[in-house]
Amino acid sequence: MIALAFALTLSLAAEPEPAPAPSPAAADRGAGLSPAALAPGSLAFSAFIGAPEVGAGYRQGFSVLEFEALARFNYLELSGVAEAGVRLQAWKSERARIAPTLSLGLKLNSGARVFDPSNFAAVGLRPRLGVVASISASEVVQVVLTAEVPWAIALNVSGFQLTPVAGAGVEVMLSPTLSLLALGQGGVDVIKEPLGVPVVRPAWGLRLGVGYRVF
């Protein structure tokens, strides 16, 4: 009996401990804008403040594409956008990811002109084409490059707003699940109000955000 107990003890001691779950590769880390497309099964939430918008987002990875949903509020226009779309992982390497984006949203604009004399009240569709690139600069820092063309098409009046912009920023991992994002954008804004002519002016944006990676 003693020999049997001794053998059982040695057997249990020899069993290896379970290996810890592998952490994401550096190029796949992030929750806000990086990585360019989430890995399959990954889920993340984000929120940001900035100028001229504040907002929040949801991301989920599926195979070679990602689903994302965004809500934005422009406090200078007093307008809001709710949109949903996909990111398609078109290219990846050991340190970088590139993903074209396509989304469709609904924009509600109050028409406030305190900060923008060309703004107009409208309900419109807002398709958005773009691309996101994320580059792993280190184990905790991702460089993010963006380009997008949102196009708000008014449904109740004759008018539109087209705003192609490009941006660059960084996302810093505070932990495997939490990250901070800083992004700057610049481009042009073309707006045509009802009975008016298109007006072209500079477009800009600043964003400070936080992302939370569920898994």
Side-chain angles (χ1 to χ4, degrees), residues 49-163:
I49 59 174
E53 293 181 321
V54 297
Y58 164 85
R59 304 174 61 190
Q60 186 168 4
F62 296 96
S63 186
V64 296
L65 60 82
E66 169 196 316
F67 170 80
E68 66 174 348
L70 297 168
R72 309 169 187 247
F73 177 71
N74 185 315
Y75 50 83
L76 299 184
E77 291 182 348
L78 294 183
S79 66
V81 176
E83 64 179 43
V86 295
R87 299 186 189 187
L88 176 64
Q89 183 165 270
W91 184 84
K92 71 175 184 177
S93 69
E94 183 179 348
R95 300 176 63 87
R97 305 285 186 268
I98 298 177
T101 66
L102 172 63
S103 64
L104 180 64
L106 179 68
K107 180 174 182 178
L108 305 178
N109 193 337
S110 70
R113 297 196 173 196
V114 176
F115 297 100
D116 184 357
S118 297
N119 195 33
F120 61 95
V123 176
L125 289 178
R126 188 177 180 268
R128 179 172 62 91
L129 289 172
V131 63
V132 178
S134 58
I135 304 167
S136 175
S138 72
E139 289 292 316
V140 296
V141 177
Q142 293 265 29
V143 175
V144 181
L145 304 174
T146 67
E148 61 181 18
V149 185
W151 183 19
I153 307 166
L155 299 177
N156 58 327
V157 294
S158 176
F160 68 85
Q161 187 171 15
L162 183 69
T163 314

Side-chain angles (χ1 to χ4, degrees), residues 12-29:
L12 292 175
E15 291 183 2
E17 294 183 0
S23 59
D28 284 322
R29 292 175 182 170

